[in-house]
Amino acid sequence: MKTYQIVGIGNAVVDVISQSDDNFLELMGIQKGIMQLVERERGELLYAAMESRVQTPGGSVANTIAGAGALGLEAAFIGRVHDDALGRFYADAMNEDGVDFVNPPVPGGELPTSRSMIFVSPDGERSMNTYLGISSELSSEDVSGDVAGNTQIMFLEGYLFDKDKGKTAFLEAARDCRAGGGKTGIAISDPFCVERHRPDFLSLIADELDFVIGNEAEIRALFETDDLEDALRRTAAICDLVVCTRSGDGVTVLAEGQRIDVPVDRVTPVDATGAGDQFAAGFLFGLATGRDLETCARIGNACAREVIGHIGPRPEVNMLEVLREEALV
């Protein structure tokens, strides 16, 4: 039976990326800089309006797992795609990237494969319009206990909390992973997601998880406070390892009563898509390979810095070479 160093569970979304200016966003009624869920008809309209599209397998945790796999970890991703053109593209692309796409595309699936139309502004900000499709139907049936129980690190995507069967799948996967001696954590994903499911999030973090990764807004949303320091303290009180990304202000790591603040090099992003996802990839790579927490954060920062320097949510260079040059591995 194969043992993985990292397994992710999340939305399997084909990212469709196009550059646009603020006038286009206003014309199309797109709110700049956030992720919006759209219905199928709206998704098709936005897809048709895109110029010079770049298509890539995406989804927040899927991007993280691809990044971790590119760094050399034995990696797998659990997601749900339809057996249609986009679904087959997604599964094949993940496998070609060295990540086992555990479940085959679903024949006769109830909904089309998920896709996100991402409009990148000249300032690097991205406006995401996501049609969830079949990926949001993920359930316990999609999560093999053999896979979850034989991984070193399990990483869950908060977006899947929008349906009860996703929550159940998470609980079962987390318990299988921990029973097998692994560690399980979550990407909070979005402050609005927290607001919709705060009690369940807090219960999962406190009772079932070993680590949590989120940005400032997401960490604050857990406890409905504008005071980040208060939110960090309260999160650390219920979880052994808390990692908070703070954009240009660096990264804060809280673990076992210790606090580590790691600065970042400020750069102007070409495309901010995937910054948090690749930070998590680098951080979890460090964790899986036994690095100290400060080094984990520095590796995460290096991965995030690379991905915001180009269009697209995944690294375009050999990040292991970059990390060697920076004496991080």
Side-chain angles (χ1 to χ4, degrees):
M1 187 175 297
K2 187 163 185 175
T3 300
Y4 293 103
Q5 289 172 287
I6 188 167
V7 173
I9 304 178
N11 281 308
V13 183
V14 177
D15 283 341
V16 188
I17 305 169
S18 178
Q19 293 180 294
S20 63
D21 58 23
D22 290 352
N23 288 333
F24 175 86
L25 298 181
E26 184 176 353
L27 176 66
M28 299 301 294
I30 297 170
Q31 189 171 345
K32 184 176 178 179
I34 69 167
M35 195 285 289
Q36 291 179 299
L37 297 179
V38 298
E39 298 299 326
R40 185 174 179 177
E41 183 177 346
R42 170 74 169 165
E44 291 174 351
L45 171 68
L46 294 176
Y47 182 86
M50 302 180 89
E51 296 182 1
S52 302
R53 295 184 290 254
V54 175
Q55 185 170 291
T56 180
S60 176
V61 164
N63 289 336
T64 293
I65 300 305
L71 287 169
L73 295 189
E74 290 288 338
F77 179 69
I78 296 171
R80 188 174 178 85
V81 297
H82 189 179
D83 187 13
D84 54 18
L86 281 180
R88 292 187 292 273
F89 162 80
Y90 191 99
D92 291 345
M94 290 293 283
N95 288 322
E96 289 168 7
D97 284 344
V99 175
D100 284 357
F101 190 74
V102 175
N103 300 325
V106 180
E110 60 272 26
L111 293 168
T113 295
S114 309
R115 73 287 312 264
S116 181
M117 281 61 65
I118 302 173
F119 298 90
V120 182
S121 304
D123 60 2
E125 191 61 79
R126 81 271 195 228
S127 307
M128 306 172 68
N129 300 265
T130 303
Y131 167 61
L132 286 178
I134 196 173
S135 67
S136 63
E137 299 300 315
L138 185 138
S139 70
S140 299
E141 295 179 1
D142 299 298
V143 182
S144 164
D146 289 338
V147 173
N150 287 277
T151 182
Q152 183 180 347
I153 294 174
M154 173 75 73
F155 195 41
L156 311 174
E157 182 174 314
Y159 285 129
L160 280 175
F161 256 51
D162 274 320
K163 294 199 174 180
D164 287 341
K165 53 188 173 183
K167 296 176 187 177
T168 301
F170 274 10
L171 285 171
E172 294 178 0
R175 290 167 182 168
D176 286 340
C177 177
R178 297 177 95 185
K183 293 187 179 298
T184 303
I186 195 167
I188 298 178
S189 296
D190 188 277
F192 300 114
C193 193
V194 173
E195 290 170 9
R196 291 192 294 271
H197 308 287
R198 184 172 291 105
D200 288 331
F201 259 108
L202 292 174
S203 175
L204 183 75
I205 291 169
D207 300 331
E208 309 289 349
L209 301 184
D210 301 290
F211 66 90
V212 59
I213 299 177
N215 63 30
E216 293 177 85
E218 293 159 358
I219 296 292
R220 290 198 306 264
L222 284 173
F223 294 99
E224 298 181 273
T225 177
D226 292 327
D227 186 338
L228 178 61
E229 294 302 319
D230 178 54
L232 285 170
R233 284 192 297 270
R234 295 170 72 179
T235 308
I238 62 171
C239 189
D240 291 340
L241 174 59
V242 180
V243 184
C244 178
T245 58
R246 298 183 290 122
S247 299
D249 293 327
V251 177
T252 296
V253 181
L254 301 177
E256 299 177 351
Q258 294 183 318
R259 174 177 178 142
I260 303 167
D261 289 299
V262 180
V264 296
D265 297 325
R266 288 181 177 267
V267 296
T268 301
V270 174
D271 173 17
T273 308
D277 304 337
Q278 293 310 316
F279 170 84
F283 187 92
L284 295 176
F285 164 80
L287 204 63
T289 53
R291 268 76 181 183
D292 63 84
L293 293 176
E294 180 175 348
T295 301
C296 291
R298 292 187 183 280
I299 293 173
N301 286 344
C303 293
R305 185 178 66 240
E306 188 280 335
V307 81
I308 66 174
H310 57 76
I311 299 293
R314 299 186 179 184
E316 291 186 345
V317 302
N318 185 325
M319 280 305 301
L320 266 182
E321 291 183 2
V322 173
L323 298 179
R324 290 191 187 104
E325 290 171 2
E326 297 186 17
L328 292 171
V329 297

